[in-house]
Amino acid sequence: MFGALAQGLKAASGLFYRGKGWALVSLEIRNDSSQPRWTPQEAAFTGIRGPSLQARLVVEGQGAIGPGEQGRVLAVVDMPTLSADTFFTLELRGESGRTLKLPNIRFLKAMMEGGQ
């Protein structure tokens, strides 16, 4: 998932969390130095089957990721019960029509601390 440059944007690293009824993706996004600043404005998770799930988006700092800079983006979504083989594409839409799509995101089953 990480490493591909799309429209001058790259997910440098990420963490995935899942709790009962919710999921969160925390990403470091890098904007290529040859590109204009980018401000993420919307996030959605799209599965192979079923509707798109609109996510709440939180952007660290001022929100804009300048040329050659990196910024943290959080996408939080209320999730129904998922089967173990459910994969999503996370789409981060920003100003000027630039979009970063991250395919094959899978949230592992939530477990209680000390659980198997």
Side-chain angles (χ1 to χ4, degrees):
M1 171 177 80
F2 300 110
L5 191 65
Q7 296 184 359
L9 301 167
K10 177 181 177 181
S13 64
L15 297 170
F16 307 91
Y17 302 95
R18 180 176 165 198
K20 187 173 182 173
W22 61 270
L24 178 140
V25 175
S26 172
L27 295 170
E28 283 289 327
I29 306 293
R30 192 167 291 144
N31 188 12
D32 191 74
S33 61
S34 66
Q35 296 292 320
R37 74 181 191 121
W38 183 70
T39 304
Q41 297 173 331
E42 295 180 344
F45 290 88
T46 305
I48 295 172
R49 298 176 205 81
S52 176
L53 301 172
Q54 199 63 32
R56 294 177 298 281
L57 183 65
V58 178
V59 182
E60 181 180 61
Q62 301 296 317
I65 303 171
E69 294 180 354
Q70 188 166 298
R72 178 164 303 283
V73 174
L74 303 173
V76 183
V77 66
D78 295 326
M79 288 253 172
T81 303
L82 302 173
S83 66
D85 62 348
T86 303
F87 287 85
F88 290 92
T89 294
L90 171 59
E91 184 175 352
L92 299 171
R93 295 180 291 274
E95 62 188 4
S96 305
R98 289 173 63 203
T99 299
L100 179 61
K101 290 184 181 182
L102 303 167
N104 301 322
I105 292 177
R106 185 173 130 202
F107 296 100
L108 301 177
K109 181 179 178 184
M111 295 191 325
M112 298 290 287
E113 186 173 327
Q116 295 290 321

Coordinates of all heavy atoms in Angstrom, one line a residue, residues 7-89:
Q7 N -0.6 11.5 -8.1 CA -0.9 13.0 -8.2 C 0.0 13.8 -7.2 O -0.4 14.7 -6.6 CB -2.4 13.2 -7.9 CG -3.3 12.6 -8.9 CD -4.8 13.0 -8.6 OE1 -5.1 13.7 -7.7 NE2 -5.6 12.5 -9.5
G8 N 1.3 13.3 -7.1 CA 2.2 14.0 -6.3 C 2.1 13.7 -4.8 O 2.7 14.3 -4.0
L9 N 1.2 12.8 -4.4 CA 1.0 12.4 -3.0 C 1.4 11.0 -2.7 O 1.2 10.1 -3.5 CB -0.5 12.6 -2.6 CG -1.1 14.0 -2.9 CD1 -2.6 14.0 -2.8 CD2 -0.5 15.0 -1.9
K10 N 1.9 10.8 -1.5 CA 2.4 9.4 -1.1 C 2.1 9.2 0.3 O 2.4 10.1 1.2 CB 3.9 9.4 -1.4 CG 4.6 8.1 -1.0 CD 6.0 8.1 -1.3 CE 6.7 6.9 -0.8 NZ 8.2 6.9 -1.1
A11 N 1.6 8.0 0.6 CA 1.4 7.6 2.0 C 2.8 7.0 2.5 O 3.2 6.0 2.0 CB 0.3 6.6 2.2
A12 N 3.4 7.8 3.4 CA 4.8 7.4 3.8 C 4.7 6.2 4.8 O 5.6 5.4 4.9 CB 5.5 8.6 4.4
S13 N 3.7 6.3 5.7 CA 3.6 5.3 6.7 C 2.1 5.3 7.3 O 1.4 6.3 7.1 CB 4.6 5.4 7.9 OG 4.3 6.7 8.6
G14 N 1.7 4.3 7.9 CA 0.3 4.3 8.5 C 0.1 3.3 9.6 O 0.8 2.3 9.7
L15 N -0.9 3.6 10.4 CA -1.3 2.7 11.4 C -2.8 2.5 11.3 O -3.5 3.4 10.9 CB -1.0 3.2 12.8 CG 0.5 3.5 13.1 CD1 0.6 4.2 14.4 CD2 1.2 2.1 13.2
F16 N -3.3 1.3 11.6 CA -4.7 0.9 11.4 C -5.2 0.4 12.8 O -4.6 -0.4 13.4 CB -4.9 -0.2 10.4 CG -4.2 0.2 9.1 CD1 -2.9 -0.2 8.8 CD2 -4.9 0.9 8.1 CE1 -2.3 0.1 7.6 CE2 -4.3 1.3 6.9 CZ -3.0 0.9 6.7
Y17 N -6.3 0.9 13.2 CA -7.0 0.5 14.4 C -8.4 0.2 14.2 O -9.1 0.8 13.4 CB -6.9 1.7 15.4 CG -5.6 2.2 15.7 CD1 -5.1 3.3 15.0 CD2 -4.8 1.6 16.7 CE1 -3.8 3.8 15.3 CE2 -3.5 2.1 17.0 CZ -3.0 3.2 16.3 OH -1.8 3.7 16.6
R18 N -8.9 -0.8 15.0 CA -10.3 -1.2 14.9 C -10.8 -1.5 16.3 O -10.2 -2.2 17.0 CB -10.5 -2.4 14.0 CG -11.9 -2.8 13.8 CD -12.0 -4.0 12.9 NE -13.3 -4.6 13.0 CZ -13.5 -5.9 12.6 NH1 -12.6 -6.5 12.0 NH2 -14.7 -6.4 12.7
G19 N -11.9 -0.9 16.6 CA -12.6 -1.2 17.9 C -14.0 -1.7 17.6 O -14.4 -1.9 16.4
K20 N -14.8 -1.9 18.6 CA -16.1 -2.4 18.4 C -17.0 -1.2 17.7 O -17.3 -0.2 18.4 CB -16.8 -2.8 19.7 CG -18.1 -3.5 19.5 CD -18.6 -4.0 20.8 CE -19.9 -4.7 20.5 NZ -20.4 -5.4 21.6
G21 N -17.3 -1.4 16.4 CA -18.2 -0.4 15.8 C -17.4 0.7 15.1 O -18.0 1.6 14.6
W22 N -16.1 0.8 15.1 CA -15.4 1.9 14.5 C -14.0 1.4 14.0 O -13.5 0.4 14.4 CB -15.2 3.0 15.5 CG -14.4 2.6 16.8 CD1 -14.9 2.2 17.9 CD2 -12.9 2.7 16.9 NE1 -13.8 1.9 18.8 CE2 -12.7 2.2 18.2 CE3 -11.9 3.0 16.1 CZ2 -11.3 2.1 18.7 CZ3 -10.6 2.9 16.6 CH2 -10.3 2.5 17.9
A23 N -13.4 2.2 13.2 CA -12.1 2.0 12.7 C -11.4 3.3 12.4 O -12.1 4.3 12.2 CB -12.1 1.1 11.4
L24 N -10.1 3.3 12.5 CA -9.3 4.5 12.3 C -8.0 4.2 11.5 O -7.4 3.2 11.8 CB -8.9 5.1 13.7 CG -8.0 6.4 13.7 CD1 -8.5 7.3 14.8 CD2 -6.6 6.0 13.9
V25 N -7.7 5.1 10.6 CA -6.4 5.0 9.9 C -5.7 6.3 10.2 O -6.2 7.4 10.1 CB -6.7 4.9 8.4 CG1 -5.3 4.9 7.6 CG2 -7.4 3.6 8.0
S26 N -4.4 6.1 10.6 CA -3.5 7.3 10.8 C -2.4 7.2 9.8 O -1.7 6.2 9.8 CB -3.0 7.2 12.3 OG -2.0 8.2 12.4
L27 N -2.3 8.2 9.0 CA -1.3 8.2 7.9 C -0.4 9.4 7.9 O -0.8 10.5 8.2 CB -2.1 8.2 6.5 CG -2.9 7.0 6.2 CD1 -3.7 7.4 4.9 CD2 -2.1 5.8 5.9
E28 N 0.8 9.2 7.5 CA 1.8 10.3 7.2 C 1.7 10.4 5.7 O 2.1 9.5 5.0 CB 3.2 9.9 7.7 CG 3.4 10.1 9.1 CD 3.4 11.5 9.6 OE1 3.9 12.4 8.8 OE2 3.0 11.7 10.7
I29 N 1.3 11.6 5.2 CA 1.2 11.8 3.8 C 2.3 12.8 3.4 O 2.5 13.8 4.0 CB -0.2 12.5 3.4 CG1 -1.3 11.7 3.9 CG2 -0.3 12.8 1.9 CD1 -1.5 10.3 3.3
R30 N 3.0 12.4 2.3 CA 4.1 13.3 1.8 C 3.6 13.9 0.5 O 3.1 13.2 -0.4 CB 5.3 12.4 1.6 CG 6.6 13.2 1.3 CD 7.8 12.4 1.4 NE 8.0 12.0 2.8 CZ 8.5 10.8 3.2 NH1 8.8 9.9 2.3 NH2 8.7 10.5 4.5
N31 N 3.8 15.2 0.4 CA 3.5 15.9 -0.9 C 4.8 16.2 -1.6 O 5.7 16.7 -1.1 CB 2.8 17.3 -0.5 CG 2.3 18.0 -1.7 OD1 2.2 17.5 -2.8 ND2 1.9 19.2 -1.5
D32 N 4.8 15.8 -2.9 CA 6.0 15.9 -3.7 C 6.4 17.4 -3.8 O 5.6 18.3 -3.8 CB 5.8 15.4 -5.1 CG 7.1 15.3 -5.9 OD1 7.9 14.4 -5.6 OD2 7.3 16.1 -6.8
S33 N 7.7 17.7 -3.8 CA 8.2 19.1 -3.8 C 7.8 19.8 -5.1 O 7.8 21.1 -5.1 CB 9.7 19.1 -3.6 OG 10.4 18.4 -4.7
S34 N 7.5 19.1 -6.2 CA 7.1 19.7 -7.4 C 5.6 20.1 -7.5 O 5.1 20.6 -8.5 CB 7.5 18.9 -8.6 OG 6.7 17.7 -8.6
Q35 N 4.9 19.7 -6.4 CA 3.4 19.9 -6.4 C 3.0 21.1 -5.5 O 3.7 21.4 -4.6 CB 2.7 18.6 -5.9 CG 3.0 17.4 -6.8 CD 2.3 17.6 -8.1 OE1 1.1 18.0 -8.2 NE2 2.9 17.1 -9.2
P36 N 1.8 21.7 -5.8 CA 1.3 22.7 -4.9 C 0.9 22.2 -3.6 O 0.7 20.9 -3.5 CB 0.1 23.3 -5.7 CG -0.3 22.2 -6.6 CD 0.9 21.4 -6.9
R37 N 0.6 23.0 -2.6 CA 0.2 22.6 -1.3 C -1.1 21.8 -1.5 O -1.9 22.0 -2.5 CB 0.0 23.7 -0.4 CG -1.2 24.6 -0.7 CD -1.4 25.7 0.3 NE -2.7 26.3 0.1 CZ -3.6 26.4 1.0 NH1 -3.4 26.1 2.2 NH2 -4.8 26.9 0.7
W38 N -1.4 20.9 -0.6 CA -2.6 20.1 -0.7 C -3.3 20.0 0.7 O -2.6 19.8 1.7 CB -2.2 18.7 -1.1 CG -3.4 17.7 -1.3 CD1 -4.3 17.8 -2.3 CD2 -3.7 16.6 -0.5 NE1 -5.2 16.7 -2.2 CE2 -4.9 16.0 -1.1 CE3 -3.1 16.0 0.6 CZ2 -5.4 14.9 -0.5 CZ3 -3.7 14.9 1.2 CH2 -4.9 14.3 0.6
T39 N -4.6 20.3 0.7 CA -5.4 20.2 1.9 C -6.4 19.1 1.8 O -7.3 19.2 1.0 CB -6.1 21.6 2.2 OG1 -5.1 22.6 2.3 CG2 -6.8 21.5 3.5
P40 N -6.3 18.0 2.6 CA -7.3 17.0 2.5 C -8.6 17.5 3.1 O -8.6 18.3 4.0 CB -6.8 15.9 3.5 CG -5.3 16.3 3.8 CD -5.2 17.7 3.5
Q41 N -9.7 17.2 2.4 CA -11.0 17.8 2.7 C -12.1 16.7 3.0 O -13.0 17.0 3.8 CB -11.5 18.7 1.6 CG -10.6 19.9 1.4 CD -11.0 20.7 0.2 OE1 -11.5 20.2 -0.8 NE2 -10.7 22.0 0.3
E42 N -11.9 15.5 2.4 CA -12.9 14.5 2.6 C -12.2 13.1 2.6 O -11.2 13.0 2.0 CB -14.0 14.4 1.5 CG -14.8 15.6 1.5 CD -15.9 15.5 0.3 OE1 -15.7 14.7 -0.6 OE2 -16.8 16.3 0.4
A43 N -12.8 12.2 3.4 CA -12.3 10.8 3.4 C -13.5 9.8 3.3 O -14.5 10.1 3.9 CB -11.5 10.5 4.6
A44 N -13.3 8.7 2.5 CA -14.3 7.7 2.4 C -13.6 6.3 2.3 O -12.6 6.2 1.7 CB -15.2 8.0 1.2
F45 N -14.3 5.3 2.8 CA -13.8 3.9 2.7 C -14.8 3.3 1.8 O -16.0 3.3 2.0 CB -13.9 3.2 4.0 CG -12.8 3.7 5.0 CD1 -13.0 4.8 5.8 CD2 -11.6 3.0 5.0 CE1 -12.0 5.2 6.7 CE2 -10.6 3.5 5.9 CZ -10.8 4.5 6.8
T46 N -14.3 2.6 0.7 CA -15.1 2.0 -0.3 C -14.7 0.5 -0.3 O -13.6 0.2 -0.5 CB -15.0 2.6 -1.7 OG1 -15.2 4.0 -1.6 CG2 -15.9 1.9 -2.7
G47 N -15.7 -0.4 -0.1 CA -15.5 -1.8 -0.1 C -15.8 -2.4 -1.5 O -16.4 -1.7 -2.3
I48 N -15.4 -3.6 -1.7 CA -15.7 -4.2 -3.0 C -17.2 -4.4 -3.1 O -17.8 -4.2 -4.2 CB -15.0 -5.6 -3.1 CG1 -13.5 -5.3 -3.2 CG2 -15.5 -6.4 -4.3 CD1 -12.6 -6.6 -3.1
R49 N -17.8 -4.8 -2.0 CA -19.3 -4.9 -1.9 C -19.8 -3.9 -1.0 O -19.2 -3.6 0.0 CB -19.7 -6.3 -1.4 CG -19.2 -7.4 -2.3 CD -19.6 -8.7 -1.6 NE -18.8 -9.8 -2.0 CZ -17.6 -10.1 -1.5 NH1 -17.0 -9.4 -0.6 NH2 -16.9 -11.2 -1.9
G50 N -21.0 -3.4 -1.2 CA -21.6 -2.5 -0.3 C -21.3 -1.0 -0.6 O -20.5 -0.7 -1.5
P51 N -22.0 -0.1 0.2 CA -21.8 1.3 0.0 C -20.5 1.9 0.5 O -19.8 1.2 1.3 CB -23.0 1.9 0.8 CG -23.2 0.9 1.9 CD -22.9 -0.5 1.3
S52 N -20.2 3.0 0.0 CA -19.1 3.8 0.5 C -19.4 4.3 1.9 O -20.5 4.7 2.2 CB -18.8 5.0 -0.4 OG -17.8 5.8 0.1
L53 N -18.4 4.3 2.8 CA -18.6 4.7 4.2 C -17.9 6.1 4.4 O -16.6 6.1 4.2 CB -18.0 3.7 5.2 CG -18.6 2.3 5.1 CD1 -17.8 1.4 6.0 CD2 -20.1 2.4 5.6
Q54 N -18.6 7.1 4.6 CA -18.0 8.5 4.8 C -17.3 8.5 6.1 O -17.8 8.0 7.1 CB -19.1 9.5 4.7 CG -18.6 10.9 4.5 CD -17.9 11.1 3.1 OE1 -18.3 10.4 2.1 NE2 -17.0 11.9 3.0
A55 N -16.1 9.0 6.1 CA -15.3 9.1 7.3 C -15.1 10.5 7.8 O -15.3 11.4 7.1 CB -13.9 8.5 7.1
R56 N -14.9 10.6 9.1 CA -14.5 11.9 9.7 C -13.0 12.1 9.5 O -12.2 11.2 9.7 CB -14.9 12.0 11.2 CG -16.4 11.9 11.4 CD -16.8 11.9 12.8 NE -16.3 10.7 13.6 CZ -16.8 9.5 13.6 NH1 -17.8 9.2 12.8 NH2 -16.3 8.5 14.3
L57 N -12.6 13.3 9.1 CA -11.2 13.5 8.7 C -10.6 14.6 9.7 O -11.2 15.6 10.0 CB -11.2 14.1 7.3 CG -9.8 14.4 6.7 CD1 -9.0 13.1 6.6 CD2 -10.0 15.0 5.4
V58 N -9.5 14.2 10.2 CA -8.7 15.2 11.1 C -7.3 15.3 10.5 O -6.7 14.3 10.1 CB -8.6 14.6 12.5 CG1 -7.8 15.6 13.4 CG2 -10.0 14.4 13.1
V59 N -6.9 16.6 10.3 CA -5.6 16.8 9.7 C -4.8 17.6 10.8 O -5.3 18.6 11.4 CB -5.7 17.7 8.4 CG1 -4.4 17.9 7.8 CG2 -6.7 17.0 7.4
E60 N -3.6 17.1 11.0 CA -2.7 17.7 12.0 C -2.3 19.2 11.5 O -2.1 19.5 10.4 CB -1.4 16.9 12.1 CG -0.4 17.4 13.1 CD 0.8 16.4 13.1 OE1 1.4 16.3 12.1 OE2 1.0 15.9 14.2
G61 N -2.2 20.0 12.5 CA -1.7 21.4 12.3 C -2.6 22.3 11.5 O -3.8 22.3 11.7
Q62 N -2.1 23.0 10.5 CA -2.9 24.0 9.8 C -3.8 23.3 8.7 O -4.6 23.9 8.1 CB -2.0 25.0 9.1 CG -1.2 25.8 10.1 CD -2.0 26.6 11.0 OE1 -3.0 27.3 10.5 NE2 -1.7 26.7 12.3
G63 N -3.6 22.0 8.5 CA -4.4 21.3 7.5 C -3.7 21.2 6.1 O -3.9 20.1 5.5
A64 N -3.0 22.1 5.7 CA -2.4 22.1 4.4 C -1.0 21.4 4.5 O -0.3 21.6 5.4 CB -2.2 23.5 3.8
I65 N -0.7 20.6 3.5 CA 0.6 19.9 3.4 C 1.3 20.6 2.2 O 0.9 20.5 1.0 CB 0.5 18.4 3.2 CG1 -0.3 17.8 4.3 CG2 1.9 17.8 3.1 CD1 -0.7 16.3 4.1
G66 N 2.3 21.4 2.5 CA 3.1 22.2 1.5 C 3.9 21.3 0.6 O 4.2 20.1 0.9
P67 N 4.5 21.9 -0.5 CA 5.4 21.2 -1.4 C 6.6 20.7 -0.6 O 7.2 21.4 0.2 CB 5.8 22.3 -2.4 CG 4.7 23.3 -2.3 CD 4.2 23.3 -0.9
G68 N 6.9 19.4 -0.8 CA 8.0 18.8 -0.1 C 7.8 18.5 1.4 O 8.7 18.1 2.1
E69 N 6.6 18.7 1.9 CA 6.3 18.5 3.3 C 5.5 17.3 3.5 O 5.0 16.6 2.6 CB 5.6 19.7 3.9 CG 6.4 21.0 3.9 CD 5.6 22.2 4.4 OE1 4.4 22.0 4.7 OE2 6.2 23.2 4.6
Q70 N 5.4 16.9 4.8 CA 4.7 15.7 5.2 C 3.7 16.2 6.3 O 4.0 17.0 7.1 CB 5.7 14.7 5.8 CG 5.2 13.4 6.1 CD 6.3 12.4 6.3 OE1 7.1 12.1 5.4 NE2 6.4 11.9 7.5
G71 N 2.6 15.5 6.4 CA 1.6 15.8 7.4 C 0.8 14.6 7.8 O 0.7 13.6 7.0
R72 N 0.3 14.6 9.0 CA -0.5 13.5 9.5 C -2.0 13.7 9.3 O -2.5 14.8 9.5 CB -0.3 13.3 11.0 CG -1.1 12.1 11.6 CD -0.6 11.6 12.9 NE 0.7 11.2 12.9 CZ 1.2 10.0 12.5 NH1 0.4 9.2 11.9 NH2 2.5 9.7 12.6
V73 N -2.7 12.6 8.8 CA -4.1 12.6 8.5 C -4.7 11.4 9.3 O -4.2 10.3 9.2 CB -4.3 12.5 7.0 CG1 -5.8 12.4 6.7 CG2 -3.7 13.7 6.3
L74 N -5.8 11.7 9.9 CA -6.6 10.6 10.6 C -8.0 10.5 9.9 O -8.6 11.5 9.7 CB -6.8 10.9 12.1 CG -5.6 11.2 12.9 CD1 -6.0 11.6 14.3 CD2 -4.7 9.9 13.0
A75 N -8.4 9.3 9.6 CA -9.7 9.1 9.0 C -10.4 8.1 10.0 O -9.9 7.0 10.2 CB -9.6 8.5 7.6
V76 N -11.5 8.5 10.5 CA -12.3 7.7 11.5 C -13.6 7.4 10.9 O -14.3 8.3 10.4 CB -12.5 8.4 12.8 CG1 -13.2 7.5 13.8 CG2 -11.1 8.9 13.4
V77 N -14.0 6.1 11.0 CA -15.3 5.7 10.4 C -16.1 4.8 11.3 O -15.4 4.0 12.0 CB -15.1 5.1 9.0 CG1 -14.4 3.7 9.1 CG2 -16.4 4.9 8.2
D78 N -17.4 4.9 11.4 CA -18.2 4.0 12.1 C -18.3 2.8 11.2 O -18.7 2.9 10.0 CB -19.6 4.6 12.4 CG -19.5 5.7 13.4 OD1 -18.6 5.7 14.2 OD2 -20.3 6.7 13.2
M79 N -18.0 1.6 11.7 CA -18.0 0.4 10.9 C -19.0 -0.6 11.4 O -19.1 -0.9 12.6 CB -16.6 -0.3 11.0 CG -15.6 0.4 10.2 SD -15.2 -0.5 8.8 CE -14.1 0.6 8.0
P80 N -19.7 -1.2 10.4 CA -20.6 -2.4 10.8 C -19.7 -3.6 11.1 O -18.5 -3.5 10.9 CB -21.5 -2.6 9.6 CG -20.6 -2.0 8.4 CD -19.8 -0.9 9.0
T81 N -20.3 -4.6 11.5 CA -19.6 -5.9 11.7 C -19.0 -6.3 10.3 O -19.7 -6.3 9.3 CB -20.5 -7.0 12.2 OG1 -21.1 -6.5 13.4 CG2 -19.7 -8.3 12.5
L82 N -17.7 -6.7 10.4 CA -17.0 -7.0 9.1 C -16.6 -8.5 9.1 O -16.2 -9.0 10.2 CB -15.8 -6.1 8.9 CG -16.0 -4.6 8.9 CD1 -14.6 -3.9 8.9 CD2 -16.8 -4.3 7.7
S83 N -16.5 -9.1 8.0 CA -16.0 -10.4 7.9 C -14.4 -10.3 7.8 O -13.9 -9.2 7.5 CB -16.5 -11.2 6.7 OG -16.1 -10.5 5.5
A84 N -13.7 -11.3 8.1 CA -12.3 -11.3 8.1 C -11.6 -10.9 6.8 O -10.5 -10.5 6.7 CB -11.7 -12.6 8.6
D85 N -12.4 -11.2 5.7 CA -11.8 -10.9 4.3 C -12.3 -9.6 3.7 O -12.2 -9.5 2.5 CB -12.1 -12.1 3.4 CG -13.6 -12.3 3.2 OD1 -14.4 -11.7 3.9 OD2 -13.9 -13.1 2.3
T86 N -12.7 -8.7 4.5 CA -13.2 -7.4 4.0 C -12.0 -6.4 3.8 O -11.3 -6.1 4.7 CB -14.3 -6.8 4.9 OG1 -15.3 -7.7 5.1 CG2 -14.8 -5.5 4.3
F87 N -11.9 -6.0 2.5 CA -10.9 -5.0 2.2 C -11.5 -3.7 1.7 O -12.6 -3.7 1.1 CB -10.0 -5.5 1.0 CG -9.0 -6.6 1.5 CD1 -9.5 -7.9 1.5 CD2 -7.7 -6.3 1.8 CE1 -8.6 -8.9 1.9 CE2 -6.9 -7.3 2.2 CZ -7.3 -8.6 2.2
F88 N -10.9 -2.6 2.0 CA -11.4 -1.3 1.6 C -10.3 -0.5 0.8 O -9.1 -0.8 1.0 CB -11.7 -0.5 2.9 CG -12.9 -0.9 3.6 CD1 -12.8 -1.8 4.6 CD2 -14.2 -0.5 3.3 CE1 -13.9 -2.3 5.3 CE2 -15.3 -0.9 4.0 CZ -15.1 -1.9 5.0
T89 N -10.8 0.5 0.1 CA -9.9 1.5 -0.5 C -10.3 2.8 0.3 O -11.4 3.1 0.4 CB -10.2 1.7 -2.0 OG1 -9.9 0.5 -2.7 CG2 -9.5 2.9 -2.6

